[in-house]
């Protein structure tokens, strides 16, 4: 139902706002043998790139379950399932809408035909502000989440996980959430402005990151159990964030005429007084917990 509403909503928007719409009827959206060429190769190539990315992300998502399944430990599987479901609520309801809006915004501002200096300035300011906001959100999770993780589980599950390390796993998941927050914004920019050839190369890089993730997860889970799986996820996200930052800096260095519009990683860090407050908050809540 959600998909149907979106399709007819976009269709109505095109009919109303575009004077001579390319899509004049619903039949234009369906395959037809009388049209030539039967297949648009450019669209097929673009679809292949994004479909391959979806497969890779599916492997990363389901890879956690494969690694846990091979560990033959039902307790670890249950703990990770509970923690992952709690953490995914934050990702689904807070981070994902922001990422989707940013992708659409960056695509509109920095399309290949309209990369003006003013658009670069606007994009750099938006990207810098949102990334700094996400870093701040992640820092708050790190400052307060670990020390209240066990309390949250006790309140939600009536102390069922008191005798396990679920609280410690959730504490490390709060660190992982901070990586997810930053990665979502930076990858949205990369996907929005990268050319098809750059996206293809990025897919090859994602394969390398996936291999590193699977190897590190398999090793760490034998050493520190479920926490090792989360640390492997942190490593994977850190690699993706590092590449995204490198791409963003290279992009603005190449296209921005003014140094003021270029992207600096140092400018993303929160104010030192804010960081001092967060460190102090972590210390206080650690002692209270």
């Amino acid at each position: 139902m959600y998909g149907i509403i979106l399709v007819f909503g976009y269709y109505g928007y095109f009919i109303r706002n575009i004077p001579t719409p390319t899509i004049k009827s619903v039949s234009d959206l369906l395959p037809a043998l009388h049209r030539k060429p039967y297949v648009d190769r450019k669209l097929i190539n673009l679809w292949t790139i994004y479909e391959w990315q979806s497969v890779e992300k599916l492997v990363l998502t389901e890879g956690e379950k494969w690694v846990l399944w091979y560990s033959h430990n039902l307790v670890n599987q249950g703990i990770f399932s509970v923690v992952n479901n709690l953490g995914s609520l934050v990702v689904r309801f807070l981070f994902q809408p922001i990422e989707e809006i940013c992708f659409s915004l960056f695509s509109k501002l920095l399309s290949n035909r309209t990369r003006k200096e003013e658009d670069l300035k606007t994009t750099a300011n938006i990207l810098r502000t949102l990334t700094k906001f996400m870093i701040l959100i992640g820092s708050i999770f790190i400052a307060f989440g670990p020390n209240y993780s066990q309390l949250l589980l006790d309140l939600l599950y009536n102390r069922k996980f008191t005798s396990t390390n679920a609280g410690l796993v959730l504490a490390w998941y709060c660190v992982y959430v901070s990586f997810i927050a930053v990665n979502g914004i930076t990858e949205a920019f990369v996907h929005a402005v990268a050319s098809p050839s750059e996206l293809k190369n990025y897919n090859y890089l994602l394969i390398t990151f996936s291999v590193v993730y699977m190897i590190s997860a398999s090793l760490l889970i034998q050493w520190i159990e479920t926490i090792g799986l989360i640390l492997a996820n942190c490593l994977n996200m850190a690699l993706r964030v590092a590449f995204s930052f490198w791409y963003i800096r290279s992009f603005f260095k190449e296209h921005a005429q003014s140094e003021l519009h270029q992207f600096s990683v140092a400018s993303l860090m929160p104010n030192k007084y804010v960081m001092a407050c967060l460190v102090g908050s972590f210390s206080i809540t650690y002692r209270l917990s």
Side-chain angles (χ1 to χ4, degrees):
M1 182 60 67
Y2 174 73
I4 293 174
I5 293 174
L6 283 181
V7 168
F8 282 99
Y10 284 125
Y11 180 77
Y13 174 83
F14 291 140
I15 293 296
R16 180 178 179 181
N17 295 281
I18 300 178
T20 56
T22 304
I23 303 174
K24 298 180 180 179
S25 66
V26 178
S27 62
D28 292 337
L29 301 174
L30 303 176
L33 295 178
H34 65 273
R35 298 191 194 123
K36 293 184 179 181
Y38 301 122
V39 178
D40 190 332
R41 293 188 177 276
K42 292 183 179 179
L43 290 179
I44 290 295
N45 292 334
L46 190 60
W47 171 82
T48 303
I49 291 172
Y50 284 107
E51 186 65 22
W52 182 248
Q53 286 184 349
S54 300
V55 171
E56 290 173 342
K57 291 181 178 180
L58 177 64
V59 171
L60 286 175
T61 303
E62 299 299 322
E64 300 169 344
K65 299 178 182 179
W66 296 339
V67 174
L68 280 174
W69 184 78
Y70 279 114
S71 68
H72 299 291
N73 191 325
L74 295 178
V75 175
N76 287 341
Q77 295 178 29
I79 290 174
F80 183 81
S81 177
V82 170
V83 171
N84 189 53
N85 289 335
L86 287 175
S88 64
L89 294 176
V90 178
V91 177
R92 188 179 300 116
F93 293 108
L94 178 60
F95 298 156
Q96 186 173 350
I98 298 176
E99 295 169 12
E100 293 174 352
I101 293 173
C102 288
F103 176 79
S104 301
L105 180 61
F106 296 149
S107 299
K108 183 177 181 180
L109 288 174
L110 296 179
S111 62
N112 291 327
R113 294 173 295 178
T114 59
R115 284 179 179 172
K116 302 177 182 178
E117 185 69 15
E118 188 64 27
D119 293 335
L120 287 169
K121 177 182 177 181
T122 302
T123 303
N125 290 333
I126 293 174
L127 180 60
R128 188 180 297 111
T129 302
L130 286 176
T131 307
K132 181 180 288 188
F133 173 72
M134 286 301 185
I135 291 176
L136 184 60
I137 293 294
S139 300
I140 292 174
F141 269 92
I142 295 175
F144 295 96
N147 298 321
Y148 288 109
S149 297
Q150 188 61 54
L151 177 62
L152 177 63
L153 291 173
D154 290 341
L155 291 175
L156 292 177
Y157 298 100
N158 196 23
R159 298 182 179 273
K160 290 182 179 179
F161 296 96
T162 303
S163 59
T164 67
N165 67 338
L168 186 59
V169 174
L170 183 57
W172 280 103
Y173 201 95
C174 292
V175 179
Y176 176 48
V177 166
S178 64
F179 284 95
I180 296 176
V182 179
N183 180 71
I185 297 297
T186 55
E187 274 199 348
F189 179 87
V190 174
H191 291 163
V193 305
S195 64
S197 60
E198 290 174 333
L199 287 176
K200 191 174 182 179
N201 293 332
Y202 181 58
N203 286 338
Y204 294 141
L205 196 60
L206 282 180
I207 294 176
T208 304
F209 293 161
S210 301
V211 173
V212 172
Y213 164 74
M214 296 298 291
I215 293 175
S216 59
S218 301
L219 295 176
L220 289 174
I221 200 172
Q222 301 297 329
W223 180 33
I224 45 180
E225 297 183 340
T226 314
I227 297 175
L229 186 59
I230 296 177
L231 291 179
N233 276 311
C234 291
L235 174 61
N236 175 53
M237 284 294 171
L239 293 174
R240 290 164 64 174
V241 168
F243 172 80
S244 297
F245 276 144
W246 174 84
Y247 180 87
I248 292 170
R249 290 195 62 185
S250 301
F251 176 86
F252 282 102
K253 187 176 181 180
E254 177 182 354
H255 294 88
Q257 299 177 4
S258 172
E259 293 184 0
L260 296 175
H261 304 166
Q262 294 184 7
F263 191 85
S264 172
V265 177
S267 64
L268 303 177
M269 299 307 297
N271 186 278
K272 59 182 179 180
Y273 297 109
V274 174
M275 295 303 296
C277 290
L278 292 174
V279 172
S281 299
F282 177 85
S283 301
I284 293 173
T285 53
Y286 177 78
R287 290 183 175 275
L288 292 177
S289 62

